[in-house]
Amino acid sequence: MPFQIPPHLLERLRARRLEQRQLWATRSAAGAPREQTGGNFTDSIRHLLSGTSSVDQVAGRYVAAMNTWQDEVEDKYDALLLDLGMGPMTYLTSDGRVLEDLRGWDGDELVEVGSLSAHSALIVGARKTGTVELLELIPQPPPGSSVCSKCRSRRRTSRCATWVDCLSASLRP
């Protein structure tokens, strides 16, 4: 079930996306020529270990690929990057869906996620983007569920050792 994104939050997220794109364009214009895009993370490691490419070449191609994938997903789905991740890049679409782009890790597709994965993406996205309003999209815990002992289920504190502490507590009966 998609999240309901209030118009003011959607506008704020779109403004952040534009700001990030302008920042990357400025950095790209000042830096070296854009690398040819490479494959996913696993392919990049293969190239590196084969000795056919240097670390700088592999890293440059991988970052170029990630930038290309990000532009594609953001444009096609009016999506907003929540997390570059150490795994799939995660997005929130303007119609409230959470997407994981497996191309950046070990897959070749874009998948919609729900439940715990979608809630987790919003928590990580709130932390990484500084947009704490993303937490308000997560439904409140059902009556009688456990309360996170570290933040009392406020979801707005750094007391939780990991985002799983609070989220998993709120999902337990």
Side-chain angles (χ1 to χ4, degrees):
M1 180 172 188
F3 296 103
Q4 298 299 314
I5 306 172
H8 72 280
L9 177 56
L10 189 56
E11 288 308 311
R12 181 170 175 209
L13 292 169
R14 284 178 175 149
R16 184 179 188 288
R17 178 178 63 197
L18 179 61
E19 199 175 282
Q20 291 295 313
R21 283 185 173 187
Q22 290 170 341
L23 179 65
W24 279 109
T26 301
R27 286 182 181 167
S28 294
R34 191 170 175 144
E35 292 277 347
Q36 178 183 354
T37 61
N40 64 30
F41 183 75
T42 306
D43 293 337
S44 297
I45 296 299
R46 258 189 230 115
H47 284 286
L48 185 61
L49 295 177
S50 73
T52 59
S53 300
S54 71
V55 171
D56 289 342
Q57 290 170 324
V58 170
R61 285 193 302 264
Y62 184 64
V63 168
M66 289 178 68
N67 290 337
T68 299
W69 298 326
Q70 180 179 347
D71 289 346
E72 286 173 9
V73 173
E74 287 179 343
D75 292 343
K76 183 174 182 178
Y77 298 96
D78 190 18
L80 313 138
L81 182 66
L82 296 175
D83 183 25
L84 283 169
M86 265 309 294
M89 296 187 336
T90 309
Y91 300 87
L92 176 65
T93 65
S94 61
D95 63 2
R97 296 175 296 136
V98 174
L99 304 175
E100 285 184 350
D101 190 348
L102 303 178
R103 295 176 295 179
W105 193 240
D106 62 353
D108 58 4
E109 62 187 347
L110 193 65
V111 296
E112 184 175 344
V113 297
S115 189
L116 181 61
S117 294
H119 292 181
S120 301
L122 290 176
I123 292 169
V124 171
R127 197 172 272 180
K128 290 201 173 181
T129 67
T131 310
V132 295
E133 294 90 344
L134 288 168
L135 300 174
E136 295 169 9
L137 301 178
I138 300 170
Q140 290 299 311
S145 62
S146 299
V147 173
C148 176
S149 62
K150 295 178 181 159
C151 74
R152 309 299 303 153
S153 295
R154 287 188 296 273
R155 304 178 183 154
R156 292 180 187 261
T157 182
S158 59
R159 284 189 199 155
C160 295
T162 66
W163 54 266
V164 170
D165 292 338
C166 186
L167 185 61
S168 62
S170 70
L171 296 175
R172 281 193 303 267

